[in-house]
Amino acid sequence: MRAVSYAQFGGPEVLRVVADVPVPEPGPGQLRVRVAASVLHPVDLMIRSGRFPAPLPVGLPYVPGWDVAGTIDAIGPSVGGFTLDDEVIGFSPWLRTTVGAHAEYIVLDAAWLTTAPTGIAATEAATLPTNGLTAAQALDLLALPAGSSVLVTGAAGQVGGFTLALARVAGLHATGLAGADDREFVESQGAAFVPRSEDPARAAAGSFDAVVDLAVIGPSLMELVSDGGGYVAASPPLRPEPVRGIRTFALEVLPDGTRLGELVKLVERGEIPLRVAGVYSFAEAATAHHRLAQGGVRGGVVIVP
């Protein structure tokens, strides 16, 4: 099968389309998916450049890519609830498995997948799994009752947009910290808008029941959290120590087909926006990496076979 791969660390120029990658076979509890679309993430760029700060389970070469939208091509033993040609979405926990989705086929645990949203193109559906579950799991950690207030930094990014939408669905009062050009999007999700500044804590002056720090601003935001509130750090090393009874969490997204299925229902009801910044073929993978590295992307950078 064909896949995007790299055999050395470096810039986007190290990416190659390799045609002789073995087609993986599903084992017990697994499904093989014929990939229709996958998504490029900042962590893919960090790993490709050799800047990822932790050891990975196996060495080069790597096929990158987490999210997948596609159709079931083969079913392993002990799998129920799916049939051949079902359209599904899910993601590979790449840092644990190094099983990449920028390939024509991928094998994943059935428990990590769910039925794709009806009537949604694969290029859009592929933007949901990793980032949507990151947002959902952040709010699940906080377990805020309806009516609570939450500040979301990086609110116009992919995870930020999902977090605002899910906060609205949960009856939370969200405030989104984002760039000046992002006011319309933040407010479209029912959130109050705060423009990004050199002093985010001052810009978002006030008190919140919780903060979801997706922009990795850091512990300075703790001063905005009410006593006994909650704080989710998107970067585990920047998880602050608990003070004033504030619960602090380091966010590490986990695959969860059941929870993802709940998000699919919200997509089908129009409650969650799916945004695509651009679609690139395998041959254009280097261009996609360049685009994401430029920053300011408002939507998924999608890779298709």
Side-chain angles (χ1 to χ4, degrees):
M1 70 173 181
R2 296 164 57 249
V4 177
S5 179
Y6 55 94
Q8 65 186 79
F9 296 118
E13 68 277 0
V14 303
L15 296 166
R16 298 286 185 271
V17 180
V18 182
D20 58 353
V21 178
V23 176
E25 294 296 331
Q30 294 184 321
L31 299 168
R32 185 171 68 207
V33 178
R34 182 188 302 111
V35 178
S38 55
V39 174
L40 184 63
H41 292 282
V43 68
D44 293 311
L45 276 60
M46 184 181 297
I47 296 167
R48 185 217 67 225
S49 66
R51 294 185 294 109
F52 192 73
L56 297 168
V58 298
L60 294 163
Y62 291 135
V63 173
W66 296 53
D67 302 272
V68 63
T71 56
I72 295 175
D73 173 73
I75 300 175
S78 305
V79 174
F82 293 99
T83 59
L84 292 176
D85 296 323
D86 280 353
E87 295 184 352
V88 294
I89 61 171
F91 84 86
S92 170
W94 196 97
L95 294 176
R96 295 190 336 210
T97 67
T98 65
V99 173
H102 296 172
E104 291 181 310
Y105 297 91
I106 186 172
V107 166
L108 298 172
D109 287 3
W112 299 347
L113 297 165
T114 194
T115 302
T118 302
I120 302 295
T123 49
E124 295 180 54
T127 66
L128 178 64
T130 302
N131 288 330
L133 281 171
T134 300
Q137 290 171 14
L139 293 176
D140 290 347
L141 287 170
L142 292 169
L144 299 169
S148 300
S149 59
V150 58
L151 172 68
V152 180
T153 72
Q158 281 288 86
V159 179
F162 288 131
T163 305
L164 294 182
L166 292 174
R168 172 175 43 76
V169 170
L172 305 178
H173 299 298
T175 296
L177 181 70
D181 294 340
D182 296 314
R183 175 187 289 272
E184 182 178 355
F185 172 75
V186 169
E187 293 181 344
S188 75
Q189 298 308 305
F193 172 76
V194 174
R196 187 172 55 231
S197 74
E198 294 182 2
D199 187 354
R202 184 180 297 275
S207 180
F208 299 89
D209 294 310
V211 168
V212 179
D213 184 19
L214 302 172
V216 196
I217 292 169
S220 65
L221 295 176
M222 287 284 282
E223 65 188 69
L224 300 179
V225 182
S226 303
D227 292 355
Y231 181 104
V232 174
S235 176
L238 292 181
R239 172 180 173 266
E241 292 299 318
V243 294
R244 297 186 284 111
I246 297 172
R247 299 165 297 130
T248 63
F249 305 94
L251 186 57
E252 181 181 358
V253 63
L254 300 173
D256 183 341
T258 300
R259 189 74 171 95
L260 184 57
E262 296 170 359
L263 300 184
V264 165
K265 292 177 183 177
L266 293 175
V267 168
E268 292 175 335
R269 297 208 303 260
E271 298 281 6
I272 297 180
L274 300 179
R275 296 176 291 162
V276 175
V279 179
Y280 300 84
S281 68
F282 281 3
E284 299 169 315
T287 302
H289 279 237
H290 277 297
R291 175 67 188 93
L292 186 59
Q294 289 172 358
V297 175
R298 295 298 181 255
V301 175
V302 179
I303 306 287
V304 297

